[in-house]
Amino acid sequence: MVSSFNRRELLAVGSAGAALFAAGPIFAAEKGVRSNTIVVNALGGLYNPNVEPAEKTEASGWTSTDAVIDRRVIVDARASGLTAVNLTLGHVFGPKEPFEQTVREIAHWDAVARRYPNDLLKIESADDILRAKRENRIGLIYGFQNTTMLGSDASRADVFADLGVRIIQLTYNPANAVGDGSMAPENRGLTPFGREVVERLNANRVMVDLSHSGERTCLEAARVSKQPISINHTGCRALTDMPRNKTDAELRLVAERGGFVGIYFMPFLNPTSKATADDVVAHIEHAVNVCGEDHVGIGTDGGITMIDDLGAYKAKIAKEIADRRAAGIGAKGENPDTLPFVIDLRGPSQFHDLADRLRRRGHSEARIEKILGANFVAYAKRVWGA
């Protein structure tokens, strides 16, 4: 793995990267991600958490344009074995006009991909993921985590599909015009407008993602959709009873209809809101038992580049959690001392470590390859086409 990086790239990642590569033989001793394995993060990030953007937006709300992409990020992504990642673009919450913000962010990421033509590739088909692997580039899958940018016009789904958006999540944690999120107490299910939106997404061969949704919204969307749906980043409620995790009924129905379930590396995997790598493996194994090994993958809901100053980050994230709670978009399990990642399954080694943990649990190489990315590619072919 080290041989694929030149000296300039090694220097670009600084001391943290140097430490990683010095530890390279550890990866080799326990196989890690094999060189021919496709790794798809069904929901994640690509950014340097240690660098502030040159022009940071206002603190309220979310914007993907604050993500800093630099040489370290790209080198770390390659070192991790990552082939492609579903990036969250567009309005999720906050005061900005959702449609305008979303169009601006799509343009921003198009520009990022053009800035790194030898390193990044915009993904618009399943074959593009395979191409990213062949060309040693990182595939960028454009995805939304809300439908606020549609307003009251489902035909806007056509616009975003034409701009290259391949995944649209119906709700965030609260309710919206499409349906109820996981924190909406009414659990209303899919609205008439939501059914119209699902129909338009199907017509455009855009993945319908039910992460963050309430149980009724998820079950009804799975039944209404003419194409398989996904839950790109979640956990299993049978193991940890939190709203962000999915019931066996939801997991099973998605799989029965040919869909995909990605397990996240998030605190919601443990009742204490302090999840470990063992929790990640346990939730993957439960999902495999419920869904079958052909329908389970990973959607970490996090980045790859390591946080250099964890102490300073803890203070920052405590404020963000308080802000999310004040804005009414937080989830049960987000506590002041909660970190939005798994402390012993992060950084450029996370996928290598997961592969080795699954091996030690007795999972076959074929199953591990499916979980790391092959299942997502197969699902993408069913929805997007080749």
Side-chain angles (χ1 to χ4, degrees), residues 72-95:
R72 176 178 175 182
V73 171
I74 292 169
V75 173
D76 284 350
R78 284 199 174 114
S80 76
L82 181 70
T83 307
V85 56
N86 169 25
L87 298 173
T88 299
L89 277 63
H91 186 267
V92 179
F93 61 91

Side-chain angles (χ1 to χ4, degrees), residues 21-42:
F21 289 112
I26 296 176
F27 290 173
E30 287 191 293
K31 298 181 184 177
V33 175
R34 292 185 166 186
S35 61
N36 62 343
T37 298
I38 291 174
V39 177
V40 180
N41 191 349

Side-chain angles (χ1 to χ4, degrees), residues 14-247:
S15 59
L20 168 68
F21 289 112
I26 296 176
F27 290 173
E30 287 191 293
K31 298 181 184 177
V33 175
R34 292 185 166 186
S35 61
N36 62 343
T37 298
I38 291 174
V39 177
V40 180
N41 191 349
L43 190 286
L46 199 65
Y47 58 93
N48 188 337
N50 307 294
V51 180
E52 290 291 325
E55 297 182 6
K56 187 171 176 60
T57 60
E58 67 269 19
S60 60
W62 153 265
T63 174
S64 66
T65 58
D66 283 346
V68 174
I69 305 293
D70 58 16
R71 205 65 216 162
R72 176 178 175 182
V73 171
I74 292 169
V75 173
D76 284 350
R78 284 199 174 114
S80 76
L82 181 70
T83 307
V85 56
N86 169 25
L87 298 173
T88 299
L89 277 63
H91 186 267
V92 179
F93 61 91
K96 291 185 177 182
E97 199 289 313
F99 183 82
E100 180 180 349
Q101 176 187 346
T102 302
V103 172
R104 287 181 181 275
E105 291 193 25
I106 292 170
H108 168 83
W109 282 95
D110 282 348
V112 170
R114 288 193 299 270
R115 191 160 68 243
Y116 295 97
N118 297 321
D119 304 298
L120 304 177
L121 176 67
K122 182 177 179 178
I123 300 297
E124 299 191 65
S125 68
D127 279 351
D128 282 342
I129 299 176
L130 305 182
R131 178 185 170 194
K133 179 66 177 178
R134 288 194 307 271
E135 298 178 0
N136 192 30
R137 292 199 272 174
I138 307 301
L140 307 180
I141 304 168
Y142 290 7
F144 296 166
Q145 281 203 67
N146 212 330
T147 47
T148 49
M149 64 288 293
L150 302 183
S152 59
D153 184 359
S155 71
R156 286 183 176 180
D158 307 0
V159 175
F160 290 121
D162 288 342
L163 291 173
V165 176
R166 307 311 302 140
I167 302 172
I168 295 185
Q169 181 180 294
L170 295 189
T171 73
Y172 197 55
N173 288 326
N176 63 15
V178 165
D180 277 9
S182 61
M183 296 305 295
E186 296 84 0
N187 192 25
R188 296 173 303 164
L190 204 63
T191 67
F193 178 65
R195 292 171 182 265
E196 186 182 351
V197 168
V198 170
E199 184 178 353
R200 296 303 287 244
L201 296 179
N202 287 167
N204 285 284
R205 306 194 76 165
V206 172
M207 289 181 183
V208 178
D209 183 3
L210 273 299
S211 305
H212 284 269
S213 71
E215 183 176 13
R216 280 190 61 194
T217 299
C218 181
L219 293 173
E220 291 175 9
R223 295 186 181 108
V224 166
S225 179
K226 293 181 175 63
Q227 293 182 334
I229 69 162
S230 63
I231 307 171
N232 283 348
H233 61 298
T234 191
C236 304
R237 199 176 298 183
L239 299 187
T240 306
D241 188 9
M242 289 193 185
R244 276 289 286 108
N245 296 332
K246 292 298 186 181
T247 63

